[in-house]
Amino acid sequence: MAVSGVRKGNRFMIKEVIVVEGKDDTAAIRRAVEADTIETGGSAIGQAVLKRIALAQQRRGVIIFTDPDHAGERIRKIVTAKVPGCKHAFITQEQAEYKGDIGVENASPETIRQALQNLRTEYEGAVSQLTMEDLVKAGLIVHPEAASRRLVVGNALGIGYCNGKQFYKRCAMFQISREEFEAALEHLETTNI
């Protein structure tokens, strides 16, 4: 796994504290791995929760694992702004969907373990290998199907879905290489949008 931890029998114990939205997400994480969580209680994160997350980051490290929806992205942004250096776990909307509901709580234990194996770490002040022009040429911005194209490429890169500006920022923040980007674009071309 890309996280710090030890194997305990046939289960993996995660050293880092995982930030999730609620108790159902905690239950899903614990079905997959042994881990401590901090629940934000939704997208209106209080100062007390942010202080606990900051302390966890100092002592053990933090993994942000929120739902692949607007509220989850809002939480990810808030925590990242207040607590730099977090690791990020992403799942797709398809992996998180059950009967129209999208959330980490719906993901299978295998999907959760896979997301924890493919963590992305943010780098503060990172410079992107990509330019906005690269995104335009790839049809990820200023294109009639830009949103659906970003969804496919974001999932292939393991950085999730976001708008064009955030996509560019994530490419820099997670140090997406030109090779990774080109491979994700090749994947896009094999996908029927």
Side-chain angles (χ1 to χ4, degrees), residues 124-181:
E124 204 167 319
V127 177
S128 180
Q129 292 185 21
L130 306 171
T131 65
M132 289 300 266
E133 181 67 22
D134 292 324
L135 301 187
V136 171
K137 285 180 184 176
L140 301 179
I141 54 177
V142 193
H143 184 281
E145 296 174 352
S148 57
R149 294 173 66 83
R150 277 193 313 277
L151 176 64
V152 172
V153 173
N155 288 341
L157 291 171
I159 62 173
Y161 173 77
C162 48
N163 67 32
K165 185 177 175 181
Q166 283 300 316
F167 188 91
Y168 179 73
K169 284 182 179 181
R170 281 190 188 172
C171 285
M173 182 170 65
F174 297 127
Q175 294 291 276
I176 300 299
S177 70
R178 184 162 295 284
E179 293 77 22
E180 288 176 292
F181 183 70

Side-chain angles (χ1 to χ4, degrees), residues 8-9 26 40 42 49 55 57 86 88 92 101 111 120 124 129 132 152 163-164 169-170 178 186 189:
K8 181 180 177 183
T26 291
T40 65
V49 172
L55 181 61
Q57 175 68 346
C86 295
H88 296 260
T92 67
D101 177 52
T111 295
R120 292 287 185 172
E124 204 167 319
Q129 292 185 21
M132 289 300 266
V152 172
N163 67 32
K169 284 182 179 181
R170 281 190 188 172
R178 184 162 295 284
E186 285 178 21
E189 298 311 318

Side-chain angles (χ1 to χ4, degrees), residues 5-110:
V6 295
R7 193 163 284 287
K8 181 180 177 183
N10 63 351
R11 305 237 327 143
F12 197 81
M13 291 179 54
I14 307 294
K15 175 189 170 231
E16 293 90 346
V17 176
I18 302 175
V19 173
V20 296
E21 294 180 44
K23 62 181 171 51
D24 292 338
D25 298 329
T26 291
I29 295 293
R30 290 187 179 155
R31 282 192 295 272
V33 295
E34 300 269 335
D36 292 321
T37 61
I38 294 175
E39 297 166 4
T40 65
S43 61
I45 305 172
Q47 288 303 311
V49 172
L50 287 169
K51 284 181 182 178
R52 285 196 350 255
I53 294 170
L55 181 61
Q57 175 68 346
Q58 289 172 355
R59 303 275 172 102
R60 295 174 51 186
V62 165
I63 299 167
I64 302 171
F65 201 157
T66 56
D67 296 348
D69 60 10
H70 180 71
E73 287 305 311
R74 184 175 187 285
I75 293 166
R76 196 177 291 275
K77 277 183 190 177
I78 291 168
V79 173
T80 298
K82 298 291 185 181
V83 185
C86 295
K87 295 177 183 176
H88 296 260
F90 295 94
I91 56 176
T92 67
Q93 288 187 343
E94 292 79 20
Q95 292 170 320
E97 193 269 334
Y98 179 73
K99 294 185 178 180
D101 177 52
I102 294 179
V104 169
E105 72 271 12
N106 299 323
S108 71
E110 181 55 37

